[in-house]
Amino acid sequence: MLLISEGGTGMYDALTVHHGDSIKGSYISDYINPGLSHRQFGEDYPLYAIGHGDLVQTQNEKWWCVCHK
């Protein structure tokens, strides 16, 4: 899985997800893209410029995305 932040650091920032069989690629864009963004809520939404994140795995083997600006 490859996570890519795109769209700058403002209103159109987004985190997109891509999958590949090897770290060397090739990668296929996920159907859910963008995986994380606030752009659909508009500029007046309390959260702004969301589109960067890291995957973490808990001790219970669940996966989460920690989002940051």
Side-chain angles (χ1 to χ4, degrees):
M1 184 179 297
L2 175 67
L3 301 177
I4 299 174
S5 295
E6 60 180 48
T9 57
M11 173 66 186
Y12 296 102
D13 200 12
L15 183 70
T16 57
V17 182
H18 307 272
H19 301 273
D21 293 330
S22 165
I23 196 166
K24 295 179 181 179
S26 65
Y27 288 92
I28 299 170
S29 180
D30 199 287
Y31 68 93
I32 65 163
N33 281 328
L36 177 70
S37 179
H38 90 287
R39 59 176 87 154
Q40 67 273 21
F41 297 113
E43 292 184 20
D44 295 329
Y45 197 71
L47 301 175
Y48 189 75
I50 297 173
H52 297 265
D54 296 305
L55 290 177
V56 294
Q57 187 177 22
T58 68
Q59 67 275 19
N60 299 325
E61 299 185 14
K62 293 189 178 191
W63 286 94
W64 293 85
C65 182
V66 178
C67 305
H68 49 89
K69 181 176 175 183

